[in-house]
Amino acid sequence: QVQLVESGGGSVQAGGSLRLSCSASGYAVGNNCMAWFRQAPGKEREGVGSIDSDGTTSYAVSVKGRFTISKDNAKNTLYLQMDSLKPEDTAMYYCAADSSGGDCYYVFLTRQFGYWGQGTQVSVSS
């Protein structure tokens, strides 16, 4: 059974940083495509970025240059380093893991991830 558990969310002032973690069980982080999504109140869930099995990353325009996705294969954990945070980054953040084995970028764009975490809240004040 695959489980994804996010942690690291919290409240921070604009300009600050947070690092989110997504600990996986029953799933090999290093061998698969994974991603981060976020959803603000009243808005649709949007993709933040993805990371492929070979470490190739992609990011939404809104976070490029500020957020970094990485993974620690030994700890079987996915990370999202968020710097220069803005109030508009306030949202529930979710990690997602691919179950299809398809092209990672396509899976990310179409949000066809088979496994999702429960989310961790990030609040950025001005």
Side-chain angles (χ1 to χ4, degrees), residues 80-121:
L80 178 65
Q81 177 67 42
M82 305 186 292
D83 299 317
S84 302
L85 282 161
K86 304 175 181 180
E88 51 263 44
D89 294 319
T90 294
M92 185 73 79
Y93 283 71
Y94 301 89
C95 68
D98 178 44
S99 59
S100 70
D103 178 78
C104 189
Y105 189 58
Y106 177 79
V107 173
F108 175 64
L109 288 180
T110 57
R111 307 179 188 181
Q112 293 182 19
F113 290 90
Y115 308 108
W116 294 82
Q118 82 292 346
T120 186
Q121 179 67 39

Side-chain angles (χ1 to χ4, degrees), residues 22-126:
C22 173
S23 179
S25 59
Y27 187 88
V29 166
N31 295 342
N32 293 282
C33 169
M34 297 190 71
W36 287 96
F37 288 79
R38 66 185 182 186
Q39 187 168 18
K43 294 188 176 181
E44 291 189 359
R45 188 172 296 190
E46 64 172 349
V48 173
S50 64
I51 184 166
D52 207 342
S53 56
D54 64 357
T56 300
T57 54
S58 65
Y59 298 94
V61 172
S62 59
V63 306
K64 199 168 187 177
R66 300 188 298 122
F67 290 10
T68 304
I69 296 175
S70 63
K71 54 186 177 180
D72 186 327
N73 296 345
K75 294 183 178 180
N76 211 34
T77 299
L78 177 73
Y79 299 102
L80 178 65
Q81 177 67 42
M82 305 186 292
D83 299 317
S84 302
L85 282 161
K86 304 175 181 180
E88 51 263 44
D89 294 319
T90 294
M92 185 73 79
Y93 283 71
Y94 301 89
C95 68
D98 178 44
S99 59
S100 70
D103 178 78
C104 189
Y105 189 58
Y106 177 79
V107 173
F108 175 64
L109 288 180
T110 57
R111 307 179 188 181
Q112 293 182 19
F113 290 90
Y115 308 108
W116 294 82
Q118 82 292 346
T120 186
Q121 179 67 39
V122 172
S123 299
V124 184
S125 59
S126 57

